[in-house]
Amino acid sequence: MTTCTLPERDRAPALAAAQPDVWAHLGDWLQRHQRTIHKTQWTVVAIYLVLLIVPVLRPLPDNAAYIWTNVTRFAQFAFWGIWWPFVILGTALVGRMWCGLLCPEGAITEYASSVGRARATPRWITWAGWPTVAFAITTIYGQMVSVYQYPLPTLLILGGSTVAAAAVGYLYGRNKRVWCRYLCPVSGVFALLAKLAPLHFHVDPEQWRQSQSAGCRPGPVNCAPLVPLKNMRGASACHMCGRCSGFRGAIRLARRSPNNEIVHVAGQTPKPWETILIVFGLMGLVVGAFQWSSSPFLISIKQWAAQNLISANVTWPLDTTAPWWVLTNYPLKNDVLTLLDGALLIAYIFAGALACGGAITLMLALATRSLGSWKAARFHHMAQALIPLAGAGVFLGLSALTVTQLRSDGIMLPYVSEARASILILATLWSATLCWKITGLYSDRTARRIAALAAFCGAMLPANAAWFVLFWVW
Ligand code: SF4
């Protein structure tokens, strides 16, 4: 790529004054080392396939198997104890570098797109609801088949997603990541968390304009996730691959305040599906998915339902099981879900999502109304302030698997409770700070802003209460 950087005297004053810093150099380094990135990606693909396939060829581990002695336990720990929690954390820290530099699905779909049919992306694929719907389906289905515990469901869910990514790549776009942009079940979550990252590829519109007026005609940049470079204002859709670094002398990797995108960018284009993902997905569905197996309520409801079914002489829901790819079914491990178990599990997760999400929606609406007349865009903007707390919940839920897996192998991590409490408190304070800054954009009356913040704190209560009950009461 030709960067077409203008001579110093012709550059926009702000950019001319700015000395290239370590981050801009890092962005340029990424731009120059795409071959190294490709090699790294294919190494990750190889490790990913081995961890996905080898465990299904081996017998299920017994109680004497450890993470360091059994490939199935190791793969389970690598996928659910390390990969997921730390990709979530990493996205909030450095943006979607996982997607752009390491993700095996991203590499596979882009490769398939380089040799495939290169068709135009159909409109149904670009529906904004896919990431939210796909996330909800995979979260619930993962619980139904115990994806965190067994290798076959892991192969089915992760491998199925990889095959779909390859197929979409083969059919649509040329050298693009249509799958990642529109369909990946976790792209919605990553897009939210990347808004918190203190690093992003910054576009200087004035520099871009000057470069155009000077007649610069740099070569094209292949932005695989289809980000409109000139208008990029946030880190949400960017995979941080670095290919556009230095383009027209106007794009560079730069630091920013972790509050900046949510306060100053997220309100400009309201995204209702993001609100649904935050409120009903990350702060509802996810809570239920991590809670159900420890819930004493679910046990009581199950006993009550079983008694009533037996008295009505309807016993088939208690006796009938399903194949492992519908409901958990491992009799040798004493781990079998009946139809009643499965129905109650799904009902519990949905009920949790509706109860938590409904309460959060009401309080957010109250917070929005406290600032003045009702405006849907303002409501969606307020919802964005919940991202730190929502993201912290997902990290805590996933890292609980890390703690449990290590504990079952005799490794006790110290200060887990204290770390969880600190993360929840800090995330709550961060969300409250974002809310306060956002209210300042819509009202200069302190009383209104305090009322909005109070209602917003009410919106943070259900998720905080649910995590508190899971980690410290049950
Ligand atoms: S905007 Fe596109 S090309 Fe630039 S770093 Fe992000 S993903 Fe890569």
Side-chain angles (χ1 to χ4, degrees):
M1 180 190 75
T2 312
T3 55
C4 198
T5 305
L6 296 176
E8 187 78 19
R9 64 177 186 284
D10 296 332
R11 296 165 80 184
L15 203 82
Q19 292 300 311
D21 60 17
V22 63
W23 300 113
H25 282 308
L26 176 62
D28 292 344
W29 187 91
L30 291 173
Q31 197 264 328
R32 289 194 309 272
H33 290 81
Q34 290 296 311
R35 284 172 68 100
T36 310
I37 293 170
H38 280 136
K39 281 182 196 158
T40 313
Q41 285 171 332
W42 287 104
T43 308
V44 177
V45 169
I47 297 169
Y48 169 71
L49 292 178
V50 168
L51 292 179
L52 208 53
I53 294 166
V54 171
V56 299
L57 306 174
R58 311 276 306 159
L60 283 177
D62 57 24
N63 292 340
Y66 292 95
I67 289 167
W68 53 89
T69 60
N70 183 282
V71 67
T72 305
R73 290 288 323 280
F74 177 78
Q76 192 184 24
F77 183 66
F79 280 131
W80 310 115
I82 303 285
W83 178 21
W84 276 115
F86 290 99
V87 167
I88 293 285
L89 184 65
T91 305
L93 293 177
V94 292
R96 299 177 67 170
M97 282 200 178
W98 164 262
C99 301
L101 307 183
L102 297 169
C103 177
E105 269 186 19
I108 289 171
T109 197
E110 192 174 337
Y111 172 74
S113 166
S114 72
V115 296
R117 300 286 178 85
R119 290 186 193 152
T121 309
R123 271 191 63 175
W124 66 267
I125 281 187
T126 64
W127 180 53
W130 284 128
T132 304
V133 172
F135 176 78
I137 291 172
T138 45
T139 302
I140 295 171
Y141 183 59
Q143 296 304 307
M144 289 166 60
V145 294
S146 296
V147 69
Y148 301 139
Q149 280 81 34
Y150 299 104
L152 274 169
T154 303
L155 177 65
L156 183 63
I157 291 179
L158 296 183
S161 171
T162 305
V163 170
V168 169
Y170 184 77
L171 290 174
Y172 305 114
R174 174 63 75 210
N175 298 317
K176 293 291 180 279
R177 296 184 173 202
V178 172
W179 168 263
C180 311
R181 179 80 165 92
Y182 298 111
L183 298 172
C184 170
V186 279
S187 70
V189 180
F190 291 165
L192 292 176
L193 292 172
K195 295 184 190 196
L196 302 174
L199 277 182
H200 74 144
F201 276 93
H202 172 76
V203 182
D204 185 323
E206 179 53 25
Q207 187 66 27
W208 190 292
R209 194 193 59 71
Q210 283 195 21
S211 155
Q212 280 183 318
S213 333
C216 285
R217 293 182 189 281
V221 176
N222 174 31
C223 176
L226 303 150
V227 182
L229 297 182
K230 186 177 179 184
N231 301 316
M232 178 168 68
R233 292 291 173 269
S236 231
C238 168
H239 284 199
M240 306 288 274
C241 69
R243 290 176 201 173
C244 64
S245 185
F247 186 69
R248 288 191 178 279
I251 302 182
R252 65 190 174 104
L253 186 62
R255 275 183 303 137
R256 63 174 181 174
S257 158
N259 296 336
N260 183 70
E261 185 165 346
I262 288 179
V263 176
H264 298 293
V265 181
Q268 290 166 10
T269 43
K271 294 183 175 161
W273 278 106
E274 285 197 351
T275 303
I276 294 171
L277 181 58
I278 297 166
V279 172
F280 287 92
L282 304 186
M283 300 180 82
L285 208 69
V286 166
V287 176
F290 282 111
Q291 243 195 15
W292 71 269
S293 58
S294 318
S295 171
F297 295 128
L298 189 63
I299 295 170
S300 307
I301 294 167
K302 208 186 296 180
Q303 284 169 347
W304 173 83
Q307 277 165 7
N308 280 290
L309 285 169
I310 290 167
S311 7
N313 243 347
V314 182
T315 54
W316 60 265
L318 287 80
D319 303 331
T320 315
T321 57
W324 65 266
W325 42 271
V326 177
L327 282 175
T328 306
N329 194 341
Y330 301 90
L332 293 177
K333 290 265 162 198
N334 262 339
D335 193 4
V336 178
L337 292 180
T338 63
L339 287 191
L340 177 66
D341 295 326
L344 289 177
L345 177 168
I346 296 168
Y348 185 91
I349 295 177
F350 266 118
L354 288 177
C356 274
I360 295 167
T361 305
L362 273 179
M363 296 312 290
L364 270 186
L366 196 59
T368 309
R369 192 68 184 78
S370 306
L371 293 169
S373 57
W374 173 260
K375 293 221 168 63
R378 193 180 294 169
F379 169 80
H380 294 303
H381 197 184
M382 297 289 281
Q384 297 273 321
L386 290 167
I387 292 174
L389 181 58
V394 178
F395 175 73
L396 286 179
L398 288 167
S399 60
L401 301 170
T402 320
V403 174
T404 315
Q405 288 177 348
L406 288 174
R407 192 180 292 154
S408 72
D409 284 2
I411 300 172
M412 311 300 273
L413 294 178
Y415 304 113
V416 170
S417 249
E418 290 82 351
R420 283 174 178 157
S422 309
I423 290 170
L424 270 185
I425 291 169
L426 287 174
T428 303
L429 290 175
W430 188 357
S431 281
T433 307
L434 288 171
C435 167
W436 181 250
K437 286 176 183 288
I438 290 171
T439 61
L441 302 179
Y442 298 114
S443 174
D444 49 13
R445 290 170 59 181
T446 309
R448 279 185 181 275
R449 293 180 66 193
I450 291 174
L453 180 63
F456 184 84
C457 288
M460 293 194 287
L461 207 57
N464 265 316
W467 292 116
F468 175 77
V469 165
L470 176 64
F471 290 130
W472 289 283
V473 179
W474 290 344

